[in-house]
Structure formats: C-alpha cells, structure tokens
Amino acid sequence: MAVDENIVKASGKYPKPTDRTFQYGTAGFRMKSVLLDSVVFRVGLLAALRSKKLNGQVIGVMITASHNPPDDNGVKLVDPMGEMLEGSWEAHATTLANAPSDQDLAQAYEKLGTDLKVKAQNPARVIFARDTRASGPHLVAALVEALKATGTEYTDYKVLTTPQLHYLTRCLNTKGTQYEYGEPTEKGYYEKTAEAFKQAMKGGKANGAVTVDCANGVGGPKLAELVKYLPKAEELGVDIRIVNDDVLKPERLNHQCGADFVKTNQRAPPSSQAAPLARCASLDGDADRIVYYFVDPDGTFRLLDGDRIASLAALFIGDLARHANVSDKIKIGVVQTAYANGASTDYVTQHLKLPVVCTPTGVKHLHHAATKFDVGVYFEANGHGTILFSEQALKALSTHEPQSPAQNTALETLRALTNLINQTVGDALSDLLLVEVILAHKCWGPKEWDLTYTDLPNRLVRVEVADRNIFKAFDAERKLESPPGVQAQIDALVGKYKNGRSFARASGTEDAVRVYAEAATRGEADDLAQKVAGIVKQAGI
C-alpha cells in the first residue's frame, strides 16, 4: 500500500480547512484561492483515478476561476474527448474534497478505486494548465504533488485558455485514430483555427476592424498569438484590435471589463473607445465566453449576446445547408437555457423554422442536448457556447457531390466551419472568428445583425440567501418546486405583466439565487425582477 502512504504524506502539506464543505458544481470547484490548496491536491488524485479507469486516456485539469474576481480561483476536470467531467464523477470529486483528514482521504481514494473497479496497474496520464491569476503557480504545485503521489505521467502546459486545454485533451486522445482532432500543441491549435478561418472567409469581406476586450486575462496574449497566423483584412481576413490585455497586473483581471461585466451591466467597459456602430466584443477571464456589442449613433448601447450568436450561426448554417443542397441530410437544432430571451426563441422557431430545446443551465446539459442533432448549436445567453457536428453530419459533408459551382462554394464553407469551431467546448477565440466569417459573408455590420429581432427588455438580479440548496427547480430550471408556494407567488406576479416571464434558480457556485425577468417594457422588466427577488429573499431567510 505504498501509494496510500504517499498520498497521506503528500496530503499533509495541504490540510483541508476544518470549517469548510466543498461541492463540485457546474464550473468545478471555485472559491477564494486561499481555500483551494487541499481541493486542488484532491482533484489531482481524482484525475489520476479517472485516467486509470479509462485505461490511461489523458484527463485534463484546468486551474481557473473564469469571470470571477482576481482573488478567486478554481479547478475543473476535462474528460478525454475534451468534454466536461462525466456527471457521476462529480460526486466522487466532492467526496475526496471533503475527507476530514489525510488518513480519511487515502481510505476514500482506495474505496473509490475499489467501488469503481479501477485496475491499479493501469497507467494514469494527466495534462494541466492555468489562467493568469497570481495564485495559479501555487495551486499547480499542489496538483503536481498529487500526481507524483499516484505515479501519474503528467504534462504542464503552463498558461492557456480553458478551451485550448480542452482542445489539447481531445487531440492527445484521438491522435493516430480516425477521429484525429488536430495537432496536440498550442501551435497546432493556432494553425488549425487560422487555416479554417482562411477557407471559411473565401467569398466574404470584413467591414472594418473588430475591437476585442480581453478582460485583462489569458485571452489577451493568446488572441495576440492567434492573430499572427490570421490574414489581415486586405488579405481577405479581418483586422482585430486588442484592448484590456494587461496580464502583468493580476488585480486588473475582469475589473470593469470582460464579457460578464458587459452582460451584467448592459454597457461597454469604461476603457472602450469604440466609435458608433463599430464592432466590439468582450471575452471573459479564461476566454471561453464572448459577447458582442455596439453603440448606436445616438449613444444607445446594444448587446449582442449568446442568444444572438446562436441565432446568427443557425441562420448562416441553415442557409449554407440549403445552398449546398444538404439540408435534407443534416438536421439542425438550437439548444438554449431558460436565460435565453423569449424573442430569440421565437426568431429561431418561427423565422428560421428550426427546433429549439431548453435545458437546465450548465454547459454539460446544453452540450448533451446538442449531440442529439446532426448540427447542434448551443449558447448560453452569457456567451458560452459552440456548435457540434455529428459523425453523420461530417460524413454527409465530406461525401456530398455538389451539382453546381454555387453548391460547391457553400459546401466548402460548411466544411471549413467544422474545423473553425472548437467542438470540445465554448471557445471565445474560435467563436469570435465564426461571427466575423458570418458577418463578412452577409455584408452585415452589428446594426444589421441587431435588427434580426428585437429583444424583450430583461433584467438579471442576484439575491444572497442563507442556503441555496433549498431552492429546487424543475422544467429546465424554469420553475421552483421548493420552497413550497414560492412558484405560485412568482406565477401570480408574472401574469400581471405583458409578455412577462420570470424564474429563479440557485447558483451552482455560491449561496445566491439568480432571478431573471423579461417583459414588454424596460420598466416592467425591472419591476418584475425586483418583486420576484423580494419573494426569493423572503423565502431564503
């Protein structure tokens, strides 16, 4: 039992805080970085166990807290095909994270291995990376201690965006197979993305530059590196102007900038100098979310969020499928959450004539639902999303014989999109280029994109509660089953507002409940949100 002794000894350097209970949520573990030492160590143990269970397939570990403040950090696991950790293993992460002592931890680890029928002799392989937070290197050290204690083969990819680590995980596990996804290096990521962008841009022309706010996070240097591989506007590419890319001062991360700031505050970052009608985009701290926006000539801020990106992508792919004469071979669908604006759902179902599926919040739910379509477009309103192409869709696109030059052009563009889009997870960099390709082909600016439909005014309110776990939802999180009577109160309120809709759902990462409301006018939406927030606050005392 040498491994157990190694675990006990190594764990002693990272004792669990006695007054804390940890829970692996939608974004893995996320909290103040000073609380994370023991958690990251134990996630390293689980990563090793997961790899052994899967006969030595590579598992990814990402240390990031995304859009959270600089003093926070987090850790999450990436499964072999670049997807989120399998749901049933989230409970195992929680079990290990909460083992009270080093001895209890070693015993819990051994029990898990036995219960899951893990072959101890199997190899374990793990790769990991981190964002630009100051606490990253210290937490990496804790992770490495766990990997050494379990005899795991590991590679440190240093600083990467979250989607780049997902990409590398899939590439390493598919290399040499018929499903080979790409060259498993950071350079391979840039080359694949840039080549696909060049192919997809054929026949399109960018109108002016796009200004990208990188949240003073890892997206800044990585986008700057990607730009080196991309053609400029005069070479039928696009000019990208990077702002908020200061990673040398960690305290500036997500401070008054980034996708979450823009989405939550419904305004451009104060540092934005963009001219009226200029295309602007904001990434989040680990570059897995993106939102677009612009300012009208009269100074009105206009947000083009994940709903808008999803509907734009669905419109474009649907058009290409028709023009390539493959629309009878591939079924396109859009996956949303309850946070999607009602107007976007109506646009997709009534104008684009495409099916929409609503799932609970959390990428794993959207991703799973998207796999049910040949082409599954999924985006959360916050700008996190991607597009999945099934094996059947990829085969249809590769084998289809075009009957005209026009069909061939559309088909080539569709094929390029399958390589441009990072199908492992939402990727702000590839989603940025996807939007740029579509706008270039349609000869649209942000104004034309915005005119596809009119959003219902909406408001998102965060309500702190004593215990988020008492708020239990159903119907894709659109209704509450507990606390008792709360949903009836919300329903009664909603009925008083024209086009009213509201729901409350517990946060996956903190003791808070998020209340979403939309209605026919801004005043009504604000009023409805505040009143529902009042109901939630009363119920959560």
Side-chain angles (χ1 to χ4, degrees), residues 281-308:
S282 284
L283 320 182
D284 69 338
D286 64 340
D288 65 357
R289 291 189 196 179
I290 184 169
V291 295
Y292 268 73
Y293 49 93
F294 69 100
V295 177
D296 260 341
D298 65 1
T300 304
F301 173 82
R302 306 292 298 174
L303 179 68
L304 298 158
D305 62 7
D307 297 343
R308 293 278 182 179

mmCIF file of all heavy atoms in Angstrom, residues 281-308:
data_model
loop_
_atom_site.group_PDB
_atom_site.id
_atom_site.type_symbol
_atom_site.label_atom_id
_atom_site.label_comp_id
_atom_site.label_asym_id
_atom_site.label_seq_id
_atom_site.Cartn_x
_atom_site.Cartn_y
_atom_site.Cartn_z
ATOM 1 N N ALA A 281 -16.281 43.299 -29.079
ATOM 2 C CA ALA A 281 -16.536 42.023 -28.416
ATOM 3 C C ALA A 281 -15.764 41.996 -27.112
ATOM 4 O O ALA A 281 -14.718 42.631 -26.975
ATOM 5 C CB ALA A 281 -16.115 40.861 -29.307
ATOM 6 N N SER A 282 -16.290 41.257 -26.137
ATOM 7 C CA SER A 282 -15.603 41.067 -24.853
ATOM 8 C C SER A 282 -15.510 39.583 -24.543
ATOM 9 O O SER A 282 -16.502 38.850 -24.651
ATOM 10 C CB SER A 282 -16.350 41.766 -23.712
ATOM 11 O OG SER A 282 -16.142 43.162 -23.746
ATOM 12 N N LEU A 283 -14.302 39.143 -24.156
ATOM 13 C CA LEU A 283 -14.089 37.780 -23.673
ATOM 14 C C LEU A 283 -14.221 37.777 -22.150
ATOM 15 O O LEU A 283 -14.213 38.827 -21.523
ATOM 16 C CB LEU A 283 -12.684 37.289 -24.035
ATOM 17 C CG LEU A 283 -12.084 37.617 -25.396
ATOM 18 C CD1 LEU A 283 -10.701 36.986 -25.525
ATOM 19 C CD2 LEU A 283 -12.995 37.162 -26.518
ATOM 20 N N ASP A 284 -14.273 36.582 -21.557
ATOM 21 C CA ASP A 284 -14.187 36.512 -20.101
ATOM 22 C C ASP A 284 -12.759 36.132 -19.714
ATOM 23 O O ASP A 284 -11.866 36.038 -20.559
ATOM 24 C CB ASP A 284 -15.218 35.536 -19.525
ATOM 25 C CG ASP A 284 -14.910 34.089 -19.861
ATOM 26 O OD1 ASP A 284 -14.178 33.854 -20.838
ATOM 27 O OD2 ASP A 284 -15.393 33.181 -19.158
ATOM 28 N N GLY A 285 -12.528 35.922 -18.408
ATOM 29 C CA GLY A 285 -11.167 35.776 -17.899
ATOM 30 C C GLY A 285 -10.392 34.583 -18.409
ATOM 31 O O GLY A 285 -9.160 34.614 -18.443
ATOM 32 N N ASP A 286 -11.089 33.493 -18.802
ATOM 33 C CA ASP A 286 -10.363 32.326 -19.328
ATOM 34 C C ASP A 286 -10.710 32.048 -20.784
ATOM 35 O O ASP A 286 -10.382 30.995 -21.328
ATOM 36 C CB ASP A 286 -10.616 31.088 -18.467
ATOM 37 C CG ASP A 286 -12.074 30.636 -18.479
ATOM 38 O OD1 ASP A 286 -12.962 31.445 -18.811
ATOM 39 O OD2 ASP A 286 -12.337 29.458 -18.136
ATOM 40 N N ALA A 287 -11.379 33.025 -21.415
ATOM 41 C CA ALA A 287 -11.652 33.010 -22.866
ATOM 42 C C ALA A 287 -12.517 31.834 -23.321
ATOM 43 O O ALA A 287 -12.312 31.280 -24.402
ATOM 44 C CB ALA A 287 -10.340 33.050 -23.661
ATOM 45 N N ASP A 288 -13.531 31.491 -22.512
ATOM 46 C CA ASP A 288 -14.499 30.513 -23.011
ATOM 47 C C ASP A 288 -15.886 31.134 -23.215
ATOM 48 O O ASP A 288 -16.836 30.429 -23.544
ATOM 49 C CB ASP A 288 -14.575 29.271 -22.111
ATOM 50 C CG ASP A 288 -15.104 29.549 -20.709
ATOM 51 O OD1 ASP A 288 -15.369 30.721 -20.393
ATOM 52 O OD2 ASP A 288 -15.245 28.586 -19.927
ATOM 53 N N ARG A 289 -15.968 32.448 -23.053
ATOM 54 C CA ARG A 289 -17.221 33.172 -23.331
ATOM 55 C C ARG A 289 -16.915 34.387 -24.192
ATOM 56 O O ARG A 289 -15.863 35.000 -24.058
ATOM 57 C CB ARG A 289 -17.829 33.730 -22.056
ATOM 58 C CG ARG A 289 -18.381 32.773 -21.070
ATOM 59 C CD ARG A 289 -19.094 33.621 -20.037
ATOM 60 N NE ARG A 289 -19.390 32.916 -18.815
ATOM 61 C CZ ARG A 289 -20.001 33.491 -17.784
ATOM 62 N NH1 ARG A 289 -20.327 34.776 -17.849
ATOM 63 N NH2 ARG A 289 -20.257 32.810 -16.696
ATOM 64 N N ILE A 290 -17.893 34.787 -25.002
ATOM 65 C CA ILE A 290 -17.762 36.025 -25.767
ATOM 66 C C ILE A 290 -19.135 36.644 -25.971
ATOM 67 O O ILE A 290 -20.121 35.929 -26.196
ATOM 68 C CB ILE A 290 -17.077 35.783 -27.132
ATOM 69 C CG1 ILE A 290 -16.852 37.097 -27.877
ATOM 70 C CG2 ILE A 290 -17.865 34.785 -27.982
ATOM 71 C CD1 ILE A 290 -15.947 36.974 -29.099
ATOM 72 N N VAL A 291 -19.213 37.944 -25.837
ATOM 73 C CA VAL A 291 -20.406 38.691 -26.240
ATOM 74 C C VAL A 291 -19.950 39.824 -27.157
ATOM 75 O O VAL A 291 -18.832 40.325 -27.042
ATOM 76 C CB VAL A 291 -21.197 39.263 -25.038
ATOM 77 C CG1 VAL A 291 -21.773 38.141 -24.188
ATOM 78 C CG2 VAL A 291 -20.345 40.202 -24.194
ATOM 79 N N TYR A 292 -20.816 40.181 -28.079
ATOM 80 C CA TYR A 292 -20.586 41.327 -28.969
ATOM 81 C C TYR A 292 -21.472 42.486 -28.514
ATOM 82 O O TYR A 292 -22.462 42.284 -27.790
ATOM 83 C CB TYR A 292 -20.956 40.973 -30.406
ATOM 84 C CG TYR A 292 -19.836 40.438 -31.259
ATOM 85 C CD1 TYR A 292 -19.339 39.154 -31.071
ATOM 86 C CD2 TYR A 292 -19.276 41.203 -32.285
ATOM 87 C CE1 TYR A 292 -18.315 38.652 -31.862
ATOM 88 C CE2 TYR A 292 -18.258 40.721 -33.085
ATOM 89 C CZ TYR A 292 -17.783 39.444 -32.874
ATOM 90 O OH TYR A 292 -16.766 38.969 -33.662
ATOM 91 N N TYR A 293 -21.151 43.682 -28.975
ATOM 92 C CA TYR A 293 -21.986 44.850 -28.681
ATOM 93 C C TYR A 293 -21.532 46.008 -29.566
ATOM 94 O O TYR A 293 -20.476 45.952 -30.206
ATOM 95 C CB TYR A 293 -21.897 45.253 -27.198
ATOM 96 C CG TYR A 293 -20.485 45.359 -26.662
ATOM 97 C CD1 TYR A 293 -19.792 46.576 -26.656
ATOM 98 C CD2 TYR A 293 -19.832 44.229 -26.163
ATOM 99 C CE1 TYR A 293 -18.497 46.658 -26.174
ATOM 100 C CE2 TYR A 293 -18.534 44.308 -25.679
ATOM 101 C CZ TYR A 293 -17.870 45.524 -25.688
ATOM 102 O OH TYR A 293 -16.588 45.605 -25.221
ATOM 103 N N PHE A 294 -22.367 47.027 -29.615
ATOM 104 C CA PHE A 294 -22.014 48.258 -30.328
ATOM 105 C C PHE A 294 -22.803 49.399 -29.714
ATOM 106 O O PHE A 294 -23.698 49.179 -28.884
ATOM 107 C CB PHE A 294 -22.288 48.129 -31.831
ATOM 108 C CG PHE A 294 -23.759 48.056 -32.198
ATOM 109 C CD1 PHE A 294 -24.440 49.174 -32.675
ATOM 110 C CD2 PHE A 294 -24.468 46.864 -32.076
ATOM 111 C CE1 PHE A 294 -25.782 49.112 -33.026
ATOM 112 C CE2 PHE A 294 -25.813 46.784 -32.414
ATOM 113 C CZ PHE A 294 -26.467 47.911 -32.897
ATOM 114 N N VAL A 295 -22.457 50.594 -30.101
ATOM 115 C CA VAL A 295 -23.158 51.782 -29.626
ATOM 116 C C VAL A 295 -23.788 52.467 -30.831
ATOM 117 O O VAL A 295 -23.122 52.705 -31.843
ATOM 118 C CB VAL A 295 -22.192 52.748 -28.902
ATOM 119 C CG1 VAL A 295 -22.922 54.021 -28.488
ATOM 120 C CG2 VAL A 295 -21.586 52.071 -27.685
ATOM 121 N N ASP A 296 -25.075 52.739 -30.730
ATOM 122 C CA ASP A 296 -25.801 53.451 -31.792
ATOM 123 C C ASP A 296 -25.262 54.876 -31.946
ATOM 124 O O ASP A 296 -24.663 55.410 -30.998
ATOM 125 C CB ASP A 296 -27.295 53.544 -31.417
ATOM 126 C CG ASP A 296 -28.107 52.488 -32.146
ATOM 127 O OD1 ASP A 296 -27.625 51.958 -33.148
ATOM 128 O OD2 ASP A 296 -29.238 52.207 -31.689
ATOM 129 N N PRO A 297 -25.497 55.506 -33.098
ATOM 130 C CA PRO A 297 -25.074 56.907 -33.255
ATOM 131 C C PRO A 297 -25.636 57.830 -32.171
ATOM 132 O O PRO A 297 -25.021 58.842 -31.828
ATOM 133 C CB PRO A 297 -25.624 57.283 -34.637
ATOM 134 C CG PRO A 297 -25.657 55.992 -35.389
ATOM 135 C CD PRO A 297 -26.021 54.953 -34.372
ATOM 136 N N ASP A 298 -26.795 57.469 -31.596
ATOM 137 C CA ASP A 298 -27.381 58.305 -30.534
ATOM 138 C C ASP A 298 -26.827 57.955 -29.148
ATOM 139 O O ASP A 298 -27.293 58.473 -28.131
ATOM 140 C CB ASP A 298 -28.903 58.209 -30.538
ATOM 141 C CG ASP A 298 -29.413 56.812 -30.185
ATOM 142 O OD1 ASP A 298 -28.570 55.920 -29.908
ATOM 143 O OD2 ASP A 298 -30.635 56.606 -30.183
ATOM 144 N N GLY A 299 -25.843 57.030 -29.103
ATOM 145 C CA GLY A 299 -25.207 56.683 -27.840
ATOM 146 C C GLY A 299 -25.831 55.509 -27.107
ATOM 147 O O GLY A 299 -25.392 55.149 -26.023
ATOM 148 N N THR A 300 -26.868 54.886 -27.700
ATOM 149 C CA THR A 300 -27.529 53.748 -27.060
ATOM 150 C C THR A 300 -26.676 52.491 -27.172
ATOM 151 O O THR A 300 -26.232 52.128 -28.262
ATOM 152 C CB THR A 300 -28.906 53.485 -27.707
ATOM 153 O OG1 THR A 300 -29.692 54.677 -27.645
ATOM 154 C CG2 THR A 300 -29.640 52.357 -26.987
ATOM 155 N N PHE A 301 -26.462 51.832 -26.036
ATOM 156 C CA PHE A 301 -25.689 50.583 -26.001
ATOM 157 C C PHE A 301 -26.557 49.429 -26.480
ATOM 158 O O PHE A 301 -27.701 49.275 -26.069
ATOM 159 C CB PHE A 301 -25.203 50.309 -24.578
ATOM 160 C CG PHE A 301 -24.545 48.968 -24.403
ATOM 161 C CD1 PHE A 301 -23.223 48.785 -24.754
ATOM 162 C CD2 PHE A 301 -25.253 47.885 -23.875
ATOM 163 C CE1 PHE A 301 -22.613 47.543 -24.592
ATOM 164 C CE2 PHE A 301 -24.649 46.645 -23.712
ATOM 165 C CZ PHE A 301 -23.326 46.477 -24.074
ATOM 166 N N ARG A 302 -26.007 48.580 -27.358
ATOM 167 C CA ARG A 302 -26.746 47.431 -27.882
ATOM 168 C C ARG A 302 -25.916 46.166 -27.674
ATOM 169 O O ARG A 302 -24.801 46.046 -28.189
ATOM 170 C CB ARG A 302 -27.034 47.595 -29.373
ATOM 171 C CG ARG A 302 -27.753 48.899 -29.746
ATOM 172 C CD ARG A 302 -29.160 48.956 -29.241
ATOM 173 N NE ARG A 302 -30.004 47.914 -29.806
ATOM 174 C CZ ARG A 302 -31.257 47.697 -29.420
ATOM 175 N NH1 ARG A 302 -31.791 48.425 -28.438
ATOM 176 N NH2 ARG A 302 -31.963 46.749 -29.985
ATOM 177 N N LEU A 303 -26.435 45.226 -26.900
ATOM 178 C CA LEU A 303 -25.734 43.978 -26.603
ATOM 179 C C LEU A 303 -26.127 42.895 -27.613
ATOM 180 O O LEU A 303 -27.296 42.708 -27.925
ATOM 181 C CB LEU A 303 -26.095 43.506 -25.192
ATOM 182 C CG LEU A 303 -25.454 42.190 -24.731
ATOM 183 C CD1 LEU A 303 -23.946 42.358 -24.555
ATOM 184 C CD2 LEU A 303 -26.095 41.724 -23.419
ATOM 185 N N LEU A 304 -25.118 42.174 -28.094
ATOM 186 C CA LEU A 304 -25.328 41.030 -28.983
ATOM 187 C C LEU A 304 -24.747 39.816 -28.246
ATOM 188 O O LEU A 304 -23.562 39.514 -28.356
ATOM 189 C CB LEU A 304 -24.638 41.266 -30.329
ATOM 190 C CG LEU A 304 -25.165 42.488 -31.108
ATOM 191 C CD1 LEU A 304 -24.153 42.984 -32.120
ATOM 192 C CD2 LEU A 304 -26.489 42.150 -31.789
ATOM 193 N N ASP A 305 -25.582 39.160 -27.473
ATOM 194 C CA ASP A 305 -25.102 38.141 -26.534
ATOM 195 C C ASP A 305 -25.123 36.734 -27.128
ATOM 196 O O ASP A 305 -25.217 36.560 -28.346
ATOM 197 C CB ASP A 305 -25.912 38.205 -25.238
ATOM 198 C CG ASP A 305 -27.397 37.918 -25.458
ATOM 199 O OD1 ASP A 305 -27.783 37.545 -26.589
ATOM 200 O OD2 ASP A 305 -28.184 38.035 -24.489
ATOM 201 N N GLY A 306 -25.031 35.728 -26.265
ATOM 202 C CA GLY A 306 -25.006 34.349 -26.732
ATOM 203 C C GLY A 306 -26.236 33.952 -27.521
ATOM 204 O O GLY A 306 -26.142 33.171 -28.476
ATOM 205 N N ASP A 307 -27.403 34.470 -27.141
ATOM 206 C CA ASP A 307 -28.627 34.199 -27.916
ATOM 207 C C ASP A 307 -28.458 34.691 -29.353
ATOM 208 O O ASP A 307 -28.849 34.020 -30.309
ATOM 209 C CB ASP A 307 -29.835 34.937 -27.311
ATOM 210 C CG ASP A 307 -30.187 34.486 -25.907
ATOM 211 O OD1 ASP A 307 -29.723 33.399 -25.512
ATOM 212 O OD2 ASP A 307 -30.905 35.228 -25.216
ATOM 213 N N ARG A 308 -27.901 35.877 -29.483
ATOM 214 C CA ARG A 308 -27.703 36.480 -30.810
ATOM 215 C C ARG A 308 -26.693 35.690 -31.637
ATOM 216 O O ARG A 308 -26.853 35.516 -32.839
ATOM 217 C CB ARG A 308 -27.198 37.917 -30.649
ATOM 218 C CG ARG A 308 -28.195 38.869 -30.031
ATOM 219 C CD ARG A 308 -29.167 39.373 -31.055
ATOM 220 N NE ARG A 308 -30.106 40.326 -30.485
ATOM 221 C CZ ARG A 308 -31.059 40.931 -31.190
ATOM 222 N NH1 ARG A 308 -31.205 40.676 -32.469
ATOM 223 N NH2 ARG A 308 -31.882 41.782 -30.609
#
